[in-house]
């Protein structure tokens, strides 16, 4: 599991997202470390996006979470 870090201070999380139907992901680093919320700006109203969370650590990226589809207001 490459994204796993034994030392929690080395563990980071990345949120990746894309417009439904697109192939390329945009990414946002979750800061500060340990945050349980993130705001992603400039999404298009009324569109569906896919989101995943990926852990990262000194050994690289871990496996992404399940994909969640969310439609903006």
């Amino acid at each position: 599991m490459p994204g796993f870090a034994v030392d929690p201070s080395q563990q980071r999380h990345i949120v990746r997202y894309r417009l439904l139907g697109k192939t390329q992901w945009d990414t946002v680093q979750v800061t500060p470390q340990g945050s349980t919320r993130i705001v992603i700006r400039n999404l298009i109203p009324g569109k569906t996006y896919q989101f995943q969370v990926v852990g990262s650590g000194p050994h690289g990226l871990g496996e992404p979470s399940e994909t969640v589809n969310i439609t903006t207001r």
Side-chain angles (χ1 to χ4, degrees), residues 2-66:
F4 176 75
V6 175
D7 180 354
S9 70
Q10 296 179 333
Q11 182 71 37
R12 301 284 186 258
H13 292 92
I14 297 166
V15 173
R16 62 188 207 169
Y17 64 98
R18 64 183 175 193
L19 193 58
L20 185 65
K22 298 291 183 179
T23 57
Q24 185 162 339
W25 293 96
D26 290 311
T27 61
V28 176
Q29 179 92 22
V30 176
T31 57
Q33 180 186 354
S35 293
T36 58
R37 292 179 171 201
I38 187 169
V39 175
I40 299 176
R41 301 189 186 284
N42 300 319
L43 300 178
I44 302 168
K47 298 290 184 178
T48 301
Y49 288 84
Q50 295 182 304
F51 292 87
Q52 294 179 332
V53 177
V54 181
S56 66
H59 303 291
L61 295 176
E63 292 294 317
S65 67
E66 290 186 33

